[in-house]
Amino acid sequence: RWQKIFMFPLWSKMAVFWNKMFLTIIVLLIVLFLDAIREVRKYSSVHVNEKAANVNSSAFDHIQMKLFRSQRNLYLSGFSLFLWLVLRRTVTLLTQLAKEMASHAALETQVNDATEAAKKYMAENKRLQEALSGKGDGKKKESTDATEEKLKEEVEHLKAELQKTSNAFHKAKTEVAAVKKQSDGLRREYDHLMKEFEQLQQSLNKAEDKKDL
C-alpha cells in the first residue's frame, strides 16, 4: 500500500522541487527559532531590570506579556523544526520499507519458480533413469547418458541459483525486519514527543489564561 502511495507519478514530478521546499522550510524554521531565542533573552533581561527598578505595574505586565509570547514562539518553532525532521525521516523509512517489501515479494516468487524448475528437471531425470534400466541399445544408451549428464549439470546449476536466491531472500528479509524495528522505534519516539508537546501546550494555555485574568 505504501509503495503504491509513494510511487504515484505526481510524486516523481514533485521530487525535483521537494528537496528545495524542504530546505526552505528548514531554513525558515531555524530563522524563527533563532529569532525566538533572541527575543527571550531580550525580554528576560528587560524583565529583570524592570523588576529591580520597581516600575509601574502596567509596564511590568506589558514586559511579562512580551516575554511570554517570545517563550511561546520559541517552543512552537523548536517543536515544529524537530517534528518536521521527524516527518522527513518517517517518510524516508516508509519508502525504504515499501521497496524492501517489494524486493522481498520478488525474491520469494523467484525462489518458488526456481524450486518448481528444479523439481521438474529431477522428475525428467528420474524418468530417463527408468528408461535406461528397461532398454539396452548402445547408441540410445550413449545418447541418454549424454542427456542425463546435461540434465545433471542443469540441475546443479539450478540448485546453485536456488541457493543464491535463497541467500538474497534471507538478506532482504533481515533488512526488512531492521527497517520495521527502526520505524517502530521512531513511531514510539514521535508519540512520546507529541505527548510532551500536548502537555507543554496545556501548560502554556493555563499560563495565558492566568495572564488574561
Side-chain angles (χ1 to χ4, degrees), residues 89-108:
R89 182 59 179 168
T90 304
V91 172
T92 303
L93 287 176
L94 288 174
T95 305
Q96 291 178 356
L97 180 60
K99 291 180 179 179
E100 291 296 335
M101 291 177 68
S103 176
H104 175 81
L107 286 174
E108 187 175 0

Side-chain angles (χ1 to χ4, degrees), residues 107 111 160-173:
L107 286 174
V111 167
E161 290 292 330
L162 180 61
Q163 183 64 33
K164 183 179 178 181
T165 307
S166 179
N167 293 334
F169 173 74
H170 289 301
K171 182 179 178 182
K173 189 175 180 180

Side-chain angles (χ1 to χ4, degrees), residues 116-200:
E116 292 296 330
K119 290 180 179 179
K120 181 180 178 181
Y121 281 114
M122 289 175 69
E124 291 181 358
N125 188 18
K126 185 177 180 180
R127 286 197 298 268
L128 286 173
Q129 289 179 353
E130 291 177 354
L132 281 173
S133 62
K135 296 181 180 180
D137 186 44
K139 292 183 179 180
K140 289 185 178 180
K141 187 174 182 180
E142 292 177 359
S143 176
T144 306
D145 288 338
T147 305
E148 183 180 0
E149 290 296 329
K150 184 178 180 181
L151 287 174
K152 285 183 179 180
E153 291 177 358
E154 291 180 355
V155 168
E156 293 296 329
H157 177 71
L158 285 173
K159 285 182 179 180
E161 290 292 330
L162 180 61
Q163 183 64 33
K164 183 179 178 181
T165 307
S166 179
N167 293 334
F169 173 74
H170 289 301
K171 182 179 178 182
K173 189 175 180 180
T174 304
E175 291 178 355
V176 169
V179 173
K180 284 184 178 179
K181 184 177 180 181
Q182 189 177 5
S183 179
D184 291 337
L186 185 61
R187 189 189 67 230
R188 288 193 297 269
E189 183 179 356
Y190 176 77
D191 293 337
H192 178 69
L193 288 172
M194 286 302 297
K195 289 180 181 178
E196 291 184 354
F197 178 73
E198 290 177 359
Q199 293 175 359
L200 181 61

